[in-house]
Amino acid sequence: MQPSPVAQHRQPQQHHLPHPFSKKGAFMKIALRVLIALAFTLTAVFPAAAAPFKKLDKPPLSERWFGIYVDNERVGFYRQVISEAPDGYRIEGDGSVRMKVMGFSKESSMRETYLVGKGLALRSFEVEQAINGSASRISGKVASNIMRITSVANGKKTEKQLKYKGEVYPGPVLNLYPLMRDPSPGKSFTTLTFDPEEVKVKEVKISVLGQEKTPDSQPALKLRNNLYPFVNNDIWVDDQGNTLLESVREGLVITRAEEPTQLGSFVGGLALAKKDLIYDFSLVRAEPPIKDSKKLTGLSVEISGWNDNLPLRQDGGQTVEKSGEGRIAIKTGGAVPETAAQGKPATPQDSYLKPAEKIESDAPEIAAKAKELATGKKEPLEIARTLASWTSDWLHDTVEDGGGALASFKSRNGNCQTHARLYTALARAAGIPTRFVSGLIYLDGKGFLYHSWAESLLNGRWVAIDPTYDQVPADPTHLKFLEGHLPEDMAPIITIIGRIHIKVLEAKY
């Protein structure tokens, strides 16, 4: 890590927005509020059914994903889980969204948990938000028409009470509200909802317009609410209460239920690039935190929330084994083989020496540079160190992906994926079997973030090499989950991102 992951990581930029009461500022505030609020007022989704719309006894229980679009461009995602809880339900949501309006940009990430009663009325909540790099956390409990709220922002803790009459409902249940009362066409309901961004209780009207198919012909019940000023918020739900589609201002902003596979490449690519859109969502905190990760010689962790359908990747200085359902144990560290390894050496696949899409090891420029850097060096380890160091110096570290090895060789720009591709191409051109891998690395004071690096076969053993931070071998906080550089190779990240937890069992120094 050069000089360190903390120093290298680009934190979200601060943007000075126009005053909200100016004409320009008012328009932008409305537009931004529409998108940000829309991202976090969803319910889970199941396949639509053609059965008549009847009153529901309970909400649908499942995990579902949504894509968020502005003018047909994907700008974010949202994931929600609804599960049963004592005397009610637990609603958990995670998501991120980025929007540009009139030359200004806004990035928002959120993690929220609501506990509601059998009738969906709010009982307690906890919401973490990061808006343009400014993080905050609020939590609260509801009792006797009083909401007691604790807020923490910029290191300052405040407490307040909100008084109201009647029941209050969190945003994620508003689309379910009519279906659990009376979904007859023409019915309308006026109720209270809690806005965690403004920390206010607001009145909202929800109308049942009647049965209407979605634009892709799914049977649905169409709802409308006035959650956002001056624009319609239209919603299509199926007969189980699953949101299929939300549309604001006649399709300008769309939130659409999607399969995880549809969002896999989008979310996985953002996570590996450490883009601001995904940063807060993908960060995995370690318990207890790791101190002085640069001085580590070995690490042992247990990961919970693991998807048992994923393969357990060995080699590259790590061993992995299952430790229970949804749990794995990983150990990393060990000496780099300076000479031929004892025992049975690893056997490389031919593909690890061949050019591939975006890894153009046969390009004349790359082949010539690899030959130049390897001249006068005999040991593969020495060559690998030289190639990794040159790649780290040659490429300017950016948030954006610099593309393939040849493109980045010429542009000299790129993120960790770009570094890994260029190093892999150079190493293969130099005759060193090398593969592209991805997983987590640790940032001191933060936690684990998704990252890409490489592994080279040196003296009969696979060695983790990080050309972004010029590490040979890569430090023991590199936890490998995936192998392969294509989008489909990295898409499985979506099955664990935002779900896993890491317990540090041992840190060796």
Side-chain angles (χ1 to χ4, degrees):
M1 304 181 183
Q2 180 192 10
S4 73
V6 173
Q8 292 278 354
H9 175 69
R10 269 54 169 178
Q11 293 292 338
Q13 295 181 351
Q14 298 293 327
H15 299 276
H16 297 285
L17 303 180
H19 192 279
F21 294 108
S22 68
K23 185 175 181 180
K24 181 177 179 181
F27 172 81
M28 184 179 137
K29 181 178 169 80
I30 292 170
L32 293 179
R33 289 277 301 147
V34 165
L35 182 59
I36 299 304
L38 177 63
F40 305 111
T41 59
L42 300 172
T43 61
V45 56
F46 281 70
F53 289 86
K54 299 179 180 179
K55 179 181 176 181
L56 300 178
D57 295 325
K58 65 178 182 179
L61 308 176
S62 188
E63 173 187 43
R64 287 299 182 265
W65 290 78
F66 300 84
I68 303 168
Y69 299 81
V70 173
D71 199 18
N72 295 317
E73 178 185 358
R74 182 187 277 143
V75 297
F77 68 95
Y78 183 73
R79 182 193 67 181
Q80 186 177 78
V81 179
I82 302 180
S83 58
E84 289 187 307
D87 299 320
Y89 306 96
R90 176 187 298 272
I91 302 172
E92 299 172 280
D94 305 88
S96 293
V97 65
R98 172 184 289 154
M99 182 180 182
K100 290 187 177 180
V101 179
M102 299 174 66
F104 296 90
S105 64
K106 182 173 183 178
E107 297 90 23
S108 175
S109 294
M110 177 182 284
R111 294 186 180 188
E112 56 184 352
T113 300
Y114 298 98
L115 288 178
V116 300
K118 293 292 186 181
L120 306 182
L122 184 61
R123 291 161 46 192
S124 66
F125 64 89
E126 184 173 322
V127 179
E128 294 181 64
Q129 301 177 96
I131 300 176
N132 282 354
S134 178
S136 63
R137 177 181 175 274
I138 64 171
S139 59
K141 293 184 177 181
V142 174
S144 302
N145 300 123
I146 297 177
M147 185 180 300
R148 292 175 172 82
I149 302 171
T150 300
S151 303
V152 179
N154 300 318
K156 184 179 179 181
K157 180 179 179 180
T158 59
E159 296 183 352
K160 66 182 297 185
Q161 292 186 3
L162 297 179
K163 296 183 179 180
Y164 53 89
K165 293 182 179 180
E167 302 280 11
V168 65
Y169 299 85
V173 308
L174 293 182
N175 297 350
L176 275 167
Y177 186 93
L179 281 86
M180 292 187 65
R181 281 155 181 82
D182 186 352
S184 302
K187 284 287 184 179
S188 64
F189 305 87
T190 300
T191 189
L192 300 177
T193 186
F194 174 61
D195 183 336
E197 184 175 351
E198 294 190 5
V199 196
K200 290 183 178 179
V201 172
K202 300 179 176 180
E203 188 176 271
V204 60
K205 181 180 179 181
I206 309 169
S207 301
V208 181
L209 302 185
Q211 294 194 38
E212 179 182 305
K213 290 185 177 180
T214 65
D216 60 352
S217 299
Q218 296 184 75
L221 183 68
K222 187 175 181 180
L223 311 175
R224 177 173 290 168
N225 67 44
N226 62 347
L227 196 60
Y228 318 117
F230 312 120
V231 295
N232 288 332
N233 181 38
D234 292 332
I235 307 104
W236 288 260
V237 298
D238 70 11
D239 66 341
Q240 298 301 307
N242 304 293
T243 297
L244 304 174
L245 182 74
E246 287 204 15
S247 172
V248 175
R249 231 189 84 179
E250 298 180 344
L252 175 64
V253 182
I254 290 288
T255 302
R256 182 170 62 234
E258 296 183 353
E259 293 296 323
T261 52
Q262 292 178 273
L263 287 166
S265 297
F266 174 72
V267 176
L270 290 173
L272 291 168
K274 305 179 188 64
K275 289 193 175 182
D276 298 339
L277 179 64
I278 199 80
Y279 178 83
D280 294 284
F281 180 71
S282 62
L283 182 69
V284 184
R285 293 181 174 84
E287 295 295 337
I290 298 172
K291 298 179 180 179
D292 297 326
S293 62
K294 284 181 171 297
K295 298 180 180 179
L296 281 178
T297 59
L299 184 65
S300 177
V301 301
E302 183 178 66
I303 298 178
S304 57
W306 182 256
N307 185 319
D308 289 330
N309 293 319
L310 294 179
L312 303 183
R313 299 295 186 181
Q314 311 289 343
D315 299 323
Q318 79 173 28
T319 58
V320 189
E321 61 182 19
K322 285 189 62 63
S323 58
E325 183 177 352
R327 293 178 180 272
I328 61 172
I330 299 180
K331 292 183 179 180
T332 63
V336 180
E338 299 282 347
T339 58
Q342 297 293 324
K344 185 179 180 180
T347 302
Q349 298 177 17
D350 290 342
S351 61
Y352 296 146
L353 281 168
K354 292 181 178 180
E357 181 184 346
K358 293 189 177 183
I359 299 179
E360 305 95 336
S361 55
D362 57 346
E365 300 93 327
I366 289 178
K369 177 56 67 174
K371 182 178 179 180
E372 173 193 329
L373 294 171
T375 298
K377 300 172 181 64
K378 298 180 180 180
E379 289 294 326
L381 177 59
E382 184 182 8
I383 295 173
R385 281 179 170 150
T386 301
L387 298 179
S389 183
W390 181 87
T391 302
S392 179
D393 290 339
W394 181 255
L395 292 180
H396 304 295
D397 190 20
T398 63
V399 172
E400 299 300 325
D401 187 348
L406 184 58
S408 63
F409 178 86
K410 295 177 179 179
S411 70
R412 301 192 64 179
N413 292 310
N415 60 17
C416 67
Q417 297 174 72
T418 313
H419 283 72
R421 290 191 202 105
L422 180 54
Y423 167 80
T424 298
L426 290 166
R428 290 181 183 180
I432 299 175
T434 299
R435 60 195 181 195
F436 182 109
V437 302
S438 302
L440 293 173
I441 60 168
Y442 192 76
L443 281 73
D444 285 336
K446 297 288 185 178
F448 284 92
L449 277 179
Y450 288 88
H451 185 64
S452 294
W453 61 98
E455 289 180 351
S456 290
L457 189 62
L458 305 175
N459 296 315
R461 294 289 182 266
W462 287 104
V463 177
I465 294 176
D466 192 333
T468 302
Y469 301 125
D470 192 12
Q471 293 185 351
V472 182
D475 70 54
T477 72
H478 287 67
L479 308 179
K480 179 178 62 169
F481 296 157
L482 308 171
E483 293 179 2
H485 70 287
L486 298 175
E488 55 264 34
D489 297 322
M490 295 181 281
I493 281 180
I494 200 170
T495 66
I496 57 175
I497 189 172
R499 299 182 62 180
I500 61 174
H501 302 275
I502 295 181
K503 180 180 180 181
V504 177
L505 303 178
E506 183 180 15
K508 297 180 180 179
Y509 295 91

